């Protein structure tokens, strides 16, 4: 079942949080010259046109990236992310939103590499087209979870693994934990960043318990809620679970999370969370 299309949601509050965390991790990895791998298991189409029928129908980006990209009081921690968004909107009008693979493409260096997988029959060719001329990238129509076994550890022994499934099938909640433990067995020093939506809080409590039960340590949870928890109103919050976060990430998020919350949710509803699920 592949009915999810990210084009309906591109640039929403969840993307803003996800891509902020993604860009901060990439910038930290770049502090050493040694190359690293960026592995994106559920890569999507790459580029999203915000004037498309899909994006216009939901208008989600209007309450996400549109609220922040031209602010003149951006925290320094958002510069890399917003710089990547601006690169695709040089006219000064917000027309395109870069998904995670294009943000990585902008931020990675010559010596780094990208491994991207996407299964959707319409989104895969779009993604492949974006990377045709990029010799650093390998784009495959393949199952993202399998990559956690097949592509790890990277030869450079450094890397960020972004796991961003649509959760349209309930088994995704178990598959991510299984996938992470498979990856971690092969590559325990990698940074793993898992995105999650809060639709039913009980599902996330369970997910965190299952992750704890793997025995993996250094698990940081970063969450931004735009509404109070509710089991009747769709996604009220989203979060990132980061295993082996760069040492600066927690500190960076103490500045960025409250700023994002205030900028994205002017009414002040919802909450932010920054919490070690499992410490050192
Ligand atoms: N990571 C992207 C970004 O931030 O721009 C968005 C990805 S979207 C949330 C999830 C994507 O996963 C969808 O495009 C969907 O087609 C794809 N997908 C679903 N199941 C998959 C699987 N088992 N392996 C790889 N891709 C999958």
């Amino acid at each position: 079942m592949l009915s999810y299309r990210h084009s309906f949601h591109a640039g929403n509050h969840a993307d803003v949080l996800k891509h902020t965390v993604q860009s901060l991790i990439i910038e930290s990895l770049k502090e050493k010259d040694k190359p690293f791998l960026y592995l994106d298991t559920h890569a999507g189409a790459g580029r999203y046109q915000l004037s498309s029928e899909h994006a216009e129908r939901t208008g989600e980006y209007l309450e996400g990236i549109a609220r922040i990209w031209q602010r003149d009081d951006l925290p320094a921690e958002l510069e890399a992310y917003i710089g990547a968004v601006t690169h695709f909107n040089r006219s000064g009008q917000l027309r395109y939103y870069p998904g995670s693979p294009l943000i990585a493409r902008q931020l990675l260096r010559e010596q780094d590499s990208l491994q991207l997988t996407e299964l959707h029959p319409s989104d895969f060719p779009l993604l492949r087209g974006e990377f045709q001329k990029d010799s650093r990238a390998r784009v495959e129509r393949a199952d993202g979870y399998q990559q956690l076994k097949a592509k790890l550890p990277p030869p450079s022994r450094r890397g960020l693994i972004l796991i961003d499934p649509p959760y349209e099938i309930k088994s995704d909640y178990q598959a991510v934990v299984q996938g992470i433990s498979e990856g971690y067995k092969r590559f325990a020093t990698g940074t793993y960043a898992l995105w999650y939506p809060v639709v039913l809080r009980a599902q996330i409590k369970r997910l965190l318990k299952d992750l704890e039960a793997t025995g993996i340590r250094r698990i940081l949870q970063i969450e931004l809620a735009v509404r109070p928890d509710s089991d009747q109103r769709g996604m009220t919050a989203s979060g990132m679970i980061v295993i082996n976060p760069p040492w600066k990430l927690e500190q960076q998020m103490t500045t960025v999370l409250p700023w994002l919350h205030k900028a994205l949710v002017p009414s002040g509803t919802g909450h932010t969370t920054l919490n070690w699920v499992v410490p050192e």
Side-chain angles (χ1 to χ4, degrees), residues 174-223:
Q174 282 93 51
V176 292
V177 177
Q178 180 64 28
I180 286 173
S181 29
E182 293 287 356
Y184 193 87
K185 264 190 246 161
R186 292 162 174 80
F187 183 37
T189 53
T191 297
Y192 296 78
L194 169 68
W195 180 82
Y196 67 85
V198 181
V199 179
L200 294 175
R201 177 60 66 182
Q203 279 169 327
I204 302 311
K205 286 190 174 155
R206 176 79 201 272
L207 172 64
L208 295 177
K209 271 209 153 60
D210 290 349
L211 275 170
E212 265 187 83
T214 60
I216 295 173
R217 303 204 65 80
R218 300 196 70 224
I219 307 182
L220 183 66
Q221 178 189 17
I222 301 165
E223 184 174 296

Side-chain angles (χ1 to χ4, degrees), residues 2 4 6 15 18-19 40-45 48 99-101 117-120 123 142-145 162 164-166 168:
L2 280 169
Y4 179 92
H6 197 63
D15 264 6
K18 181 203 308 171
H19 298 144
D40 198 327
T41 59
H42 297 68
Y48 303 94
S100 52
T117 48
E118 169 56 47
L119 271 185
H120 198 284
D123 286 344
D143 176 47
Y145 297 118
L162 179 71
D164 183 19
E168 60 182 339

